[in-house]
Amino acid sequence: MTSCYDNRELSWLKFNVRVLEEARDSSVPLCERLLFSQIFQSNLDEFFMIRVGSLTDRVLVDDNKEDNKTGMTPKEQLEAIYKRVKELVPIKDETYFDTVKELEKIGVEHVKISSLTPEEEGYLRAYFNSEIRPLISPQVVDKRHPFPFLKNKEIYAVTHLESKNSVKLGIIPAGGSFPRIILLPDKSRLRFLLAEDVILHYCGSVFENYRLLDKALIRITRNADINMEEGLYDHEVDLRQVMEELLKKRKKLAPVRLEISGKLGKEAVEYLCRQLELSGEQISQCTAPLDMGFIFSLRNRIEKAHPEMFFEPVSPRLPATISPNIPMIQQILRRDIMLSYPYESIRPFIRLLNEAGNDPDVISIKITLYRVASNSKIVEALINAAENGKEVFVLVELRARFDEENNIEWSKRLERAGCKVMYGPENLKVHSKLMLITRKNGNELQHITQIGTGNYNEKTSELYTDLSLMTADPEIGEEAGTVFNALSIGNLVENTSHLLVAPLSLQNKIIDYIDGEIASARSGGEGYIGLKLNSLTDKVLIDKLIEASCAGVKIEMVIRGISCLVAGVQGLTENITVRSIVGRYLEHSRIYIFGKGDRQRIYISSADFMTRNTIRRVEVAAPVKSPELRKRVLHIFDIMMRDNVKARIQLPDGTYKRISPAEGENALMAQQYFIDEAAAAAAANAMKKPVKVKVRRKKRSRK
């Protein structure tokens, strides 16, 4: 029987391939394609630092626990990962150079040093000697000079120096206080080189008393999977101090990958591997830049002169349903409000916080913070509320990966302002997006609750698709208060009637709802489940979905990233479809739909169907009760299911196939549809006319 399970790590690599496909799609504006190449690379960096790092640790401690879905050991997973990555790197390199070649048509050229004219070469040599050489720190490595510590993701120029008795290397850090992009003096075109290539070219003059045998640029990726529990066990200090120490430790963890660009002989490569304790399978030979972070700066230089190379600028709209002249609290007391990012602006939510901080009737504001912007207006609003004498309770998740430093600093500022700052349960991350305003109206307490699918982050609200529900429903407000009370004393919520709260009352209730659809299908009714998720890895829920499929329940899923369930397998998952949409914005909202008609339940949530979300984190899912908003959520899901431009459908072998419009069918790109819908709503509001959205007919060609 064909398996209907996929390995988590290999499924993630399939997702990153879909990102790379966007970099190769000729219907995507040229500079946006360049950005997708950069996203592919940064995704892969994080994958190696976390997922590969974790698997490497398990191999080192001889942990042979098999993947519960595919039976692969950690070693087998690593072997499969490295093999697949070796196949993807040449495609990534080819994609970059194809894009760069097309950029030459608009006068933007990534110049090869070998193609420089004598005059340009003279300019470059003078630039190197005056602007770069004084700022670099070359080092010779041999028996008398130890191998240096190489920083995570930093680029180094490495030369194999002639030596009679042993390998001798010259190493130059290729980053520093000098610009990475070097522009040639050409007024008519934007012709550039990268500093690391220039350093490598002139490294012979740096090691002038040596004969260079070969040279290359290298970059290592280090394990970043720090063990927080171990840190807490070894210290009797608060979590913030532990995290500060662990962040220092992360920078020194073991390498898990070596990337090489250039010609470096076998002897030198083997020497590097010995020093870094890496094997041959952990080496990637690259031709494109080892770090594509420069692309952001390059895009900024191009954008003004060539706006056609980019997506059409879009600003988040202020929802037509929200009055700018009526306080947000009053509007929410009248009816539930939902914001849909990035099509609608986060500003009404920030306005709500600011109004609450200045409202004499507001007693307290409670909120969970996971990832916030570096210059967060949301945190500033909380600080202002505390300074105005409000009780402000902020649960800051210091363990939000790669946001730890930012969150540590914000937690200090919040404390200084008089906020009560907590860090959450010892062994569980608080990933929920929950905010509660408590207000006294005469003798009556009023609750304004906000539940979101995405972070309280102004920056990502313009890049990620998310939903934010604001409600004065007293039952939801009471249960939100129960969640905060439990968190404040280190407890967990066990029983709820409205909210689904992980880790104790989310997975089990979802199973109950799936069972309800199974019962409906088996009794001759219509069983239906609709899910929009980032990832699906929880085997308990996967097996329950398989059971539902076998019972005849129709299951439609939009899963952007990992899906450890394979759809369409006869006898197992033939009633399940899995679609993935990768486009201009990162699909981030989570929607759960169970049933149809009068018994239909609709939730939005911060929780994916991953074990880490369902039983290892504090998460919240909220019911959408308003008939108007229920209709809106179903509309969003329907449009996602109808996307035939950016959607890929999962096939029974676990691969993904891009969907294209059928003969005579209009092309429908969900994200563009929602952009147009928001613009039409704003225009209709201005003109006081009903909203009409046209489906665009889009001609496309692809490589």
Side-chain angles (χ1 to χ4, degrees):
M1 183 180 291
T2 304
S3 173
C4 57
Y5 300 109
D6 198 358
N7 176 262
R8 169 182 170 151
E9 320 308 343
L10 299 181
S11 180
W12 184 91
L13 286 173
K14 292 174 185 175
F15 156 67
N16 213 27
V17 168
R18 299 194 288 278
V19 173
L20 190 58
E21 286 173 355
E22 292 300 297
R24 299 174 67 82
D25 186 343
S26 60
S27 72
V28 176
L30 194 58
C31 285
E32 304 294 351
R33 285 155 56 189
L34 198 63
L35 180 60
F36 276 112
S37 287
Q38 193 275 330
I39 294 171
F40 171 87
Q41 185 200 53
S42 62
N43 283 349
L44 201 59
D45 286 345
E46 185 170 331
F47 177 72
F48 269 92
M49 287 190 288
I50 303 305
R51 300 305 306 170
V52 174
S54 176
L55 287 169
T56 302
D57 285 345
R58 289 175 58 189
V59 170
L60 290 174
V61 298
D62 200 27
D63 178 0
N64 290 314
K65 184 179 179 182
E66 295 178 346
D67 170 37
N68 66 355
K69 290 170 279 291
T70 60
M72 298 175 72
T73 65
K75 184 179 180 184
E76 288 171 338
Q77 292 179 68
L78 285 174
E79 289 171 351
I81 289 167
Y82 284 115
K83 179 182 177 182
R84 183 60 177 137
V85 169
K86 281 183 182 291
E87 296 168 349
L88 294 178
V89 167
I91 301 173
K92 178 262 295 182
D93 291 345
E94 178 188 359
T95 301
Y96 172 79
F97 287 114
D98 285 348
T99 310
V100 165
K101 189 174 182 180
E102 289 197 46
L103 280 173
E104 292 179 14
K105 297 175 184 176
I106 62 167
V108 178
E109 182 182 356
H110 186 167
V111 180
K112 294 180 180 179
I113 295 180
S114 60
S115 68
L116 295 176
T117 65
E119 292 78 11
E120 289 172 334
E121 206 280 331
Y123 169 84
L124 195 63
R125 185 187 307 110
Y127 182 94
F128 172 76
N129 287 328
S130 63
E131 303 295 329
I132 297 179
R133 186 165 184 164
L135 301 174
I136 59 177
S137 302
Q139 180 176 351
V140 172
V141 180
D142 55 21
K143 290 181 177 180
R144 296 182 180 181
H145 302 88
F147 191 84
F149 177 81
L150 303 183
K151 295 181 180 179
N152 184 40
K153 299 194 296 181
E154 295 290 327
I155 298 174
Y156 295 85
V158 175
T159 66
H160 187 186
L161 307 174
E162 187 174 46
S163 176
K164 292 182 179 179
N165 301 318
S166 63
V167 174
K168 184 177 287 189
L169 293 183
I171 298 180
I172 308 173
S177 54
F178 43 83
R180 190 171 174 209
I181 294 179
I182 300 172
L183 299 179
L184 291 174
D186 189 329
K187 294 182 180 180
S188 62
R189 291 178 295 170
L190 196 163
R191 302 176 69 232
F192 71 95
L193 304 97
L194 297 179
E196 63 262 29
D197 294 319
V198 176
I199 291 171
L200 186 69
H201 181 69
Y202 291 113
C203 64
S205 65
V206 175
F207 299 105
E208 55 187 347
N209 294 324
Y210 295 91
R211 178 170 171 264
L212 274 62
L213 300 178
D214 41 44
K215 59 185 179 180
L217 298 171
I218 68 167
R219 179 176 182 261
I220 65 166
T221 311
R222 291 184 178 275
N223 183 348
D225 192 32
I226 56 176
N227 189 329
M228 286 167 284
E229 285 70 27
E230 179 183 323
L232 285 169
Y233 181 80
D234 290 340
H235 297 75
E236 291 200 2
V237 292
D238 73 20
L239 178 61
R240 189 161 62 198
Q241 291 174 275
V242 172
M243 289 305 303
E244 288 175 327
E245 290 187 28
L246 289 175
L247 288 175
K248 295 175 185 177
K249 180 181 177 182
R250 172 187 281 167
K251 297 175 183 178
K252 299 179 181 179
L253 294 179
V256 292
R257 177 177 60 158
L258 170 64
E259 296 172 280
I260 301 175
S261 175
K263 295 180 180 179
L264 207 56
K266 180 180 178 182
E267 187 181 9
V269 171
E270 289 176 348
Y271 179 77
L272 279 172
C273 286
R274 287 196 301 273
Q275 295 297 323
L276 298 169
E277 297 184 0
L278 293 171
S279 63
E281 69 175 1
Q282 295 172 288
I283 298 173
S284 291
Q285 193 71 43
C286 311
T287 55
L290 295 179
D291 182 348
M292 293 191 182
F294 72 94
I295 285 174
F296 289 107
S297 177
L298 183 65
R299 282 163 49 92
N300 292 338
R301 295 176 182 273
I302 300 171
E303 192 164 11
K304 287 186 179 180
H306 296 280
E308 74 281 3
M309 296 290 110
F310 298 81
F311 288 128
E312 184 179 339
V314 175
S315 296
R317 305 279 182 166
L318 287 173
T321 55
I322 296 177
S323 170
N325 303 315
I326 302 173
M328 286 297 299
I329 289 177
Q330 289 185 26
Q331 295 186 64
I332 297 167
L333 287 170
R334 294 174 187 170
R335 58 182 174 80
D336 292 354
I337 292 174
M338 180 178 286
L339 301 176
S340 178
Y341 308 144
Y343 315 108
E344 295 175 338
S345 174
I346 196 173
R347 281 182 285 168
F349 173 72
I350 298 173
R351 181 179 148 205
L352 169 64
L353 280 180
N354 282 318
E355 289 175 1
N358 294 309
D359 186 340
D361 294 329
V362 167
I363 300 169
S364 66
I365 302 172
K366 300 179 181 182
I367 194 168
T368 60
L369 298 182
Y370 193 76
R371 300 187 196 277
V372 296
S374 54
N375 298 305
S376 176
K377 293 179 182 178
I378 291 170
V379 177
E380 293 292 352
L382 296 171
I383 289 172
N384 177 68
E387 291 174 346
N388 285 345
K390 309 299 180 189
E391 179 191 349
V392 180
F393 173 95
V394 186
L395 193 146
V396 182
E397 183 47 79
L398 299 183
R399 297 161 292 184
R401 204 181 305 271
F402 302 124
D403 275 270
E404 298 98 339
E405 291 185 53
N406 191 37
N407 288 2
I408 286 169
E409 289 307 309
W410 277 124
S411 71
K412 293 176 180 177
R413 283 196 59 186
L414 286 161
E415 275 188 340
R416 288 197 296 269
C419 300
K420 182 179 180 181
V421 176
M422 299 285 290
Y423 306 134
E426 184 174 330
N427 296 315
L428 298 168
K429 286 185 182 180
V430 178
H431 187 254
S432 58
K433 323 302 178 189
L434 186 65
M435 188 274 298
L436 178 66
I437 295 169
T438 301
R439 186 172 183 267
K440 195 164 186 180
N441 182 31
N443 295 323
E444 177 191 9
L445 284 182
Q446 295 175 329
H447 294 303
I448 301 293
T449 312
Q450 184 275 341
I451 307 98
T453 68
N455 293 301
Y456 297 111
N457 188 313
E458 301 95 308
K459 182 177 179 181
T460 57
S461 74
E462 296 185 358
L463 302 171
Y464 297 1
T465 72
D466 274 304
L467 296 173
S468 174
L469 173 66
M470 294 174 281
T471 179
D473 185 297
E475 295 172 324
I476 289 178
E478 184 178 338
E479 290 196 350
T482 300
V483 173
F484 279 111
N485 290 341
L487 290 172
S488 68
I489 59 174
N491 286 345
L492 301 174
V493 175
E494 294 188 34
N495 297 302
T496 52
S497 300
H498 302 277
L499 300 179
L500 311 183
V501 185
L504 300 181
S505 62
L506 187 144
Q507 186 196 66
N508 56 339
K509 290 197 174 183
I510 289 170
I511 289 171
D512 288 343
Y513 294 155
I514 297 174
D515 280 335
E517 297 312 302
I518 292 172
S520 176
R522 286 177 175 164
S523 63
E526 183 181 12
Y528 177 80
I529 297 168
L531 300 170
K532 182 176 183 294
L533 307 166
N534 292 333
S535 297
L536 171 61
T537 67
D538 185 328
K539 191 171 185 296
V540 172
L541 294 181
I542 288 173
D543 287 345
K544 182 56 68 172
L545 290 170
I546 294 170
E547 180 185 342
S549 172
C550 293
V553 178
K554 181 180 179 181
I555 303 171
E556 297 178 321
M557 295 194 283
V558 180
I559 303 176
R560 184 195 80 229
I562 303 166
S563 176
C564 291
L565 178 148
V566 178
V569 177
Q570 286 300 310
L572 293 169
T573 58
E574 69 267 32
N575 289 313
I576 301 177
T577 58
V578 172
R579 291 171 180 242
S580 173
I581 294 177
V582 178
R584 174 175 184 167
Y585 301 122
L586 184 138
E587 289 295 336
H588 194 254
S589 56
R590 291 86 162 185
I591 298 170
Y592 314 156
I593 304 166
F594 301 99
K596 291 195 173 184
D598 294 340
R599 61 185 184 82
Q600 187 174 66
R601 294 183 174 92
I602 301 173
Y603 290 85
I604 65 167
S605 180
S606 56
D608 285 306
F609 281 13
M610 306 178 76
T611 305
R612 73 178 188 187
N613 297 94
T614 56
I615 63 173
R616 294 179 189 159
R617 288 182 174 181
V618 176
E619 302 273 14
V620 173
V624 181
K625 296 184 177 182
S626 158
E628 179 185 344
L629 295 186
R630 287 166 65 85
K631 184 177 178 181
R632 186 179 184 193
V633 173
L634 291 174
H635 169 67
I636 290 170
F637 191 80
D638 175 63
I639 294 298
M640 300 293 288
M641 288 300 299
R642 290 165 53 196
D643 189 310
N644 55 18
V645 176
K646 292 298 179 185
R648 284 86 165 169
I649 192 162
Q650 189 190 51
L651 302 178
D653 63 357
T655 61
Y656 286 77
K657 178 183 178 182
R658 195 158 194 163
I659 301 172
S660 296
E663 186 72 28
E665 182 183 26
N666 285 340
L668 192 153
M669 188 190 309
Q671 293 183 356
Q672 186 61 54
Y673 180 96
F674 295 131
I675 291 171
D676 294 342
E677 185 178 56
N685 184 55
M687 302 295 292
K688 302 302 179 184
K689 292 182 179 179
V691 176
K692 291 183 180 180
V693 181
K694 292 183 179 180
V695 176
R696 295 187 176 187
R697 193 177 283 275
K698 186 178 179 68
K699 294 181 180 180
R700 298 177 298 122
S701 60
R702 291 197 186 92
K703 290 185 176 181

